[in-house]
Amino acid sequence: MGSEVNETKPQQQKTLKGLLSEVQSINKVALSVDCVIFGFDENKLKVLLIKSDLKKYQGKWTLLGDLVSPDEDLDAAAYRVLKQRTGMDDVFLKQVKTFGKLNRHPAGRVVTVAYCSLINVQSHKLRIMDNELHWQDVGSLVDSEMGFDHKDIFLTCYKWLQKRVQEHPLGFNLLPKKFSLRELQNLYEAILNRKLDRRNFRKKFFSMNFLIDVGEEEHNVHHRPGKLYKFDFEKYEKKKKVWAGIDF
Amino acid sequence: MGSEVNETKPQQQKTLKGLLSEVQSINKVALSVDCVIFGFDENKLKVLLIKSDLKKYQGKWTLLGDLVSPDEDLDAAAYRVLKQRTGMDDVFLKQVKTFGKLNRHPAGRVVTVAYCSLINVQSHKLRIMDNELHWQDVGSLVDSEMGFDHKDIFLTCYKWLQKRVQEHPLGFNLLPKKFSLRELQNLYEAILNRKLDRRNFRKKFFSMNFLIDVGEEEHNVHHRPGKLYKFDFEKYEKKKKVWAGIDF
DNA sequence: TCAAAAGTGTTCATTATACACCCATGA
DNA sequence: TCATGGGTGTATAATGAACACTTTTGA
C-alpha cells in the first residue's frame, strides 16, 4: 500500500535551457480554435456552420475554425476566424472548453479550443451569402450529425449558453441595440427551449432595473407597437452582484 | 461600407493531404496542463504548490503541471501529473480554462490547460513530504505572488470552485467519505470565505435529501459527537435537476 | 460541573408562479 | 370593427434569512 505509488518519478529542478529544448522539440501539437457562432433570426436560435473541408466528412456540417499560429494569441485566433467569416469586429466571444481527444482529427493530433460567439444577425446579414456558410436551426442541429467531434463541441457550448444566459446579460448580443420586451422574451424562449410567462418575464426584467426605455416604439408591426429598450451595461458592471445560495 | 470587410480571405476547400502538411509543419505549439489541487485541512482550504523549477521564478510558488505529450490525451496528462505528485488515483479533476497568452512562459510559446482538482487530504497525508511540495492556505495565496501566470490561473480556478460548489456536489471530494455536518459547513465556509447560519445550513442539506445517516458518530472530540453522513451520489445523478431562474 | 458544540422550529421577508382583462394599433 | 399582441396586478406558494434554547458528551 505504497509501493505502487509514483510510477513516474517527479521531475527534477529544471534549467531554462533544459526546458527550452523540451518545449522546442517534439513535445508540440497543432492547436486550433473552433467557434460556435450563435445568431437569432425569425425567432429561432441559429448556429453558423460550413460544409466540411475534408473528404472524410464530406456533406457534414462543421464549426468555423482554424489553426492557431505559434505567434498568435488564442483569443486573437478566435477573433480572426470570426472576422474572416462574418466580417464582424467587436463581437461577443468567450472561451468555453478545450477538446483534446487523441483521434479527434484525421490529420493527426489537433487540440482545439472552443469559443462561443453571439452575434446580431441583423447588422450583417449580407456578408455571408457567399461560401458554403449556413445558418442552421439549433433545434434541428441537436438531432443531426456533424463532422469531427463538432457535435460534442456544439452541445457543450449550447448548454453553456443556456446556463449562462440566465445568470449574465449575454443575450443582448444577439439582439439589436434597441429591442422590445417581446423580442427579448422570444430570445430567451428560443435559447431555453421553453415557454415563459409573459407577465412574470416582464416583471423580472423590470425589477432588475437594467432596461432603459429609449422612448421609441416598434415599426412595421400589425398590432400595437411595443416600446423599445436598451440594456444598461454600465449600471450592470457597477453592481457586481455576489452570487449566493447553495442548491443542487 | 463593405470594402473593409474580409481583410483575410476565407479558406478554400482543403484536402486531407494539404491539411496534414499544415498540421505537421510549423503550426505547432507546446501544450501543458496545470493543476490547481485543492485540499481541506484544519478547517482551511489549501492549494498544493511547488517551488518554481526555473531560475527566473526562483523562490516563487507555482502550480503542478507538465507538458502534454503528442500522443497523450489532455485529461490523461492532468491525471498523470496528479498521480506523480500525490500518488492518488481516481480523484476529482475538471478542466476549467485554457491560458494561451503569447509570453506567458519564458521558454517560448506554451499554451496551458488548467484543471481544478479536489482531493481528500486525510487519505494521503504522507505521500507529499518529499519534494518541494507545500500546502498553502488559499487565503494567503490570494495576496501573494506566483510564478508564470499561475496567479491568474489559480484565481480563475478558485472563483470557479466558489461558484460551482454552490450548484454541484463537488465539495464532498474534499472530505472523508463519512463526515459530520459541522465539517461540511466548515468546508463551505472556508471555500466561500464567509460565515453561514448553522440551522439554515442543516435545513438546506437535509431538505435536499442526499445525505445518508451512516449510523456512526464522531470520535475523539471534546464535546458531544456529531452524527456522520455520506453523500448519496447515485440519487443525485438520477435527479438531474433542471436549472431555472433568470437572474443577474 | 463545566465547556463546547449538537440538535432543533418559528417568524418574517422575499421571491416565484399562476392567471385574465382592457388597450392601442394597423389592416 | 376586428385581429393581434401590448401592457398591467393580485393572490398564493415556496424559499431564504434571522434568531435562542436545551441536550449530550468528554474533560
Side-chain angles (χ1 to χ4, degrees):
Chain A
M1 189 199 158
S3 59
E4 81 286 8
V5 181
N6 287 342
E7 296 173 347
T8 317
K9 296 272 170 52
Q11 301 168 276
Q12 298 308 308
Q13 180 87 0
K14 276 180 190 165
T15 60
L16 183 54
K17 197 176 151 202
L19 195 60
L20 262 169
S21 65
E22 254 189 276
V23 167
Q24 289 171 351
S25 71
I26 53 167
N27 281 322
K28 288 185 171 185
V29 301
L31 191 64
S32 65
V33 290
D34 280 299
C35 298
V36 180
I37 304 172
F38 290 100
F40 181 63
D41 199 22
E42 297 170 326
N43 289 337
K44 304 238 177 174
L45 186 65
K46 316 227 169 182
V47 184
L48 192 57
L49 303 176
I50 190 171
K51 280 274 163 81
S52 172
D53 48 8
L54 287 188
K55 287 229 177 89
K56 171 167 180 182
Y57 293 119
Q58 199 150 42
K60 296 263 170 68
W61 293 108
T62 61
L63 301 169
L64 302 184
D66 199 4
L67 289 174
V68 177
S69 110
D71 59 355
E72 183 178 41
D73 190 86
L74 271 184
D75 291 353
Y79 275 113
R80 174 172 56 79
V81 167
L82 259 159
K83 179 84 192 266
Q84 282 175 332
R85 299 306 194 174
T86 68
M88 287 187 91
D89 244 333
D90 197 34
V91 295
F92 176 90
L93 190 63
K94 274 274 192 200
Q95 190 198 111
V96 173
K97 199 187 167 188
T98 298
F99 292 77
K101 282 227 189 320
L102 280 179
N103 296 309
R104 55 172 298 283
H105 199 293
R109 185 78 196 279
V110 183
V111 172
T112 198
V113 184
Y115 281 80
C116 175
S117 175
L118 306 176
I119 71 182
N120 173 7
V121 173
Q122 321 303 330
S123 72
H124 68 299
K125 222 166 201 166
L126 309 171
R127 308 278 171 80
I128 53 168
M129 295 312 292
D130 30 69
N131 308 331
E132 304 236 19
L133 288 176
H134 164 73
W135 281 109
Q136 173 133 349
D137 272 29
V138 161
S140 68
L141 191 53
V142 167
D143 298 315
S144 63
E145 286 193 9
M146 296 178 73
F148 307 97
D149 56 353
H150 286 189
K151 182 76 178 285
D152 255 15
I153 298 177
F154 157 69
L155 283 176
T156 298
C157 288
Y158 181 35
K159 282 176 200 152
W160 180 90
L161 175 62
Q162 288 185 312
K163 179 93 200 307
R164 189 98 181 165
V165 78
Q166 298 189 63
E167 304 180 347
H168 300 273
L170 312 181
F172 304 99
N173 292 292
L174 291 161
L175 295 176
K177 281 237 167 53
K178 303 170 184 177
F179 50 86
S180 68
L181 270 174
R182 163 63 55 188
E183 288 175 287
L184 186 60
Q185 182 172 346
N186 286 341
L187 174 68
Y188 271 84
E189 292 184 343
I191 294 175
L192 300 177
N193 196 28
R194 66 187 154 93
K195 287 281 168 216
L196 301 171
D197 181 272
R198 192 160 58 96
R199 275 172 293 184
N200 292 336
F201 184 85
R202 297 170 75 93
K203 233 185 307 174
K204 186 80 214 171
F205 270 92
F206 285 135
S207 73
M208 288 185 207
N209 259 301
F210 292 132
L211 292 184
I212 301 172
D213 184 337
V214 295
E216 296 174 45
E217 293 186 334
E218 291 175 297
H219 293 300
N220 308 322
V221 285
H222 285 205
H223 54 76
R224 175 176 176 179
K227 290 185 180 182
L228 297 184
Y229 300 86
K230 60 180 180 182
F231 186 80
D232 192 340
F233 284 99
E234 267 191 40
K235 191 170 172 185
Y236 169 76
E237 289 301 338
K238 276 183 206 149
K239 194 145 173 177
K240 286 185 180 183
K241 171 169 184 159
V242 177
W243 217 253
I246 299 165
D247 201 14
F248 42 83
Chain B
M1 189 198 160
S3 58
E4 80 287 7
V5 181
N6 286 342
E7 297 173 348
T8 316
K9 295 272 169 52
Q11 300 168 277
Q12 297 309 309
Q13 180 88 358
K14 278 180 188 164
T15 60
L16 183 54
K17 198 175 152 203
L19 195 61
L20 261 169
S21 65
E22 253 190 277
V23 168
Q24 288 169 351
S25 70
I26 54 168
N27 282 321
K28 288 186 171 186
V29 300
L31 192 63
S32 67
V33 291
D34 280 300
C35 298
V36 180
I37 304 173
F38 289 100
F40 182 62
D41 200 22
E42 296 168 327
N43 289 338
K44 304 236 177 176
L45 186 64
K46 316 227 169 182
V47 185
L48 193 57
L49 302 176
I50 191 170
K51 280 274 163 80
S52 171
D53 48 8
L54 286 187
K55 289 227 174 92
K56 170 165 181 183
Y57 293 118
Q58 200 151 41
K60 296 262 169 69
W61 294 108
T62 60
L63 301 170
L64 303 183
D66 199 5
L67 289 174
V68 178
S69 112
D71 59 355
E72 183 179 41
D73 190 87
L74 271 184
D75 291 352
Y79 275 113
R80 174 172 58 78
V81 167
L82 260 160
K83 179 83 191 268
Q84 280 176 331
R85 299 304 195 174
T86 68
M88 288 188 89
D89 246 333
D90 199 33
V91 295
F92 176 90
L93 191 62
K94 275 272 194 202
Q95 190 198 111
V96 173
K97 198 186 166 188
T98 298
F99 292 78
K101 282 226 189 322
L102 280 180
N103 296 310
R104 55 171 300 281
H105 199 294
R109 185 77 195 279
V110 183
V111 172
T112 197
V113 183
Y115 281 80
C116 174
S117 175
L118 306 176
I119 71 182
N120 173 8
V121 173
Q122 320 302 329
S123 72
H124 68 299
K125 221 167 202 166
L126 308 173
R127 307 277 172 81
I128 53 168
M129 296 312 292
D130 31 68
N131 308 329
E132 304 235 20
L133 288 176
H134 164 73
W135 281 109
Q136 173 133 350
D137 271 30
V138 162
S140 67
L141 191 53
V142 167
D143 298 314
S144 63
E145 288 193 7
M146 297 179 72
F148 307 97
D149 56 352
H150 286 189
K151 182 76 178 287
D152 255 17
I153 298 177
F154 157 69
L155 283 176
T156 299
C157 287
Y158 180 35
K159 283 175 200 151
W160 179 89
L161 175 63
Q162 288 186 313
K163 178 96 202 303
R164 189 98 180 164
V165 79
Q166 298 189 65
E167 304 180 346
H168 300 273
L170 312 180
F172 304 99
N173 292 291
L174 290 162
L175 294 176
K177 282 237 167 53
K178 302 169 185 177
F179 51 86
S180 69
L181 269 175
R182 163 63 54 186
E183 289 176 287
L184 185 61
Q185 182 173 345
N186 286 341
L187 174 68
Y188 271 84
E189 292 184 342
I191 295 176
L192 300 177
N193 194 30
R194 63 186 156 96
K195 289 280 167 217
L196 300 171
D197 181 273
R198 193 159 58 93
R199 275 172 293 184
N200 292 337
F201 184 85
R202 297 169 75 91
K203 232 184 306 174
K204 186 77 213 175
F205 270 93
F206 286 134
S207 73
M208 288 187 207
N209 261 300
F210 292 132
L211 293 184
I212 302 172
D213 184 337
V214 295
E216 294 174 46
E217 292 184 335
E218 291 177 295
H219 294 301
N220 308 322
V221 285
H222 285 204
H223 54 76
R224 174 175 178 180
K227 289 185 180 183
L228 297 183
Y229 299 86
K230 61 180 180 182
F231 187 81
D232 191 340
F233 284 98
E234 267 191 40
K235 192 171 171 185
Y236 169 76
E237 289 301 338
K238 276 182 208 150
K239 195 145 172 177
K240 288 186 180 181
K241 171 170 182 158
V242 177
W243 217 255
I246 299 165
D247 203 12
F248 42 82

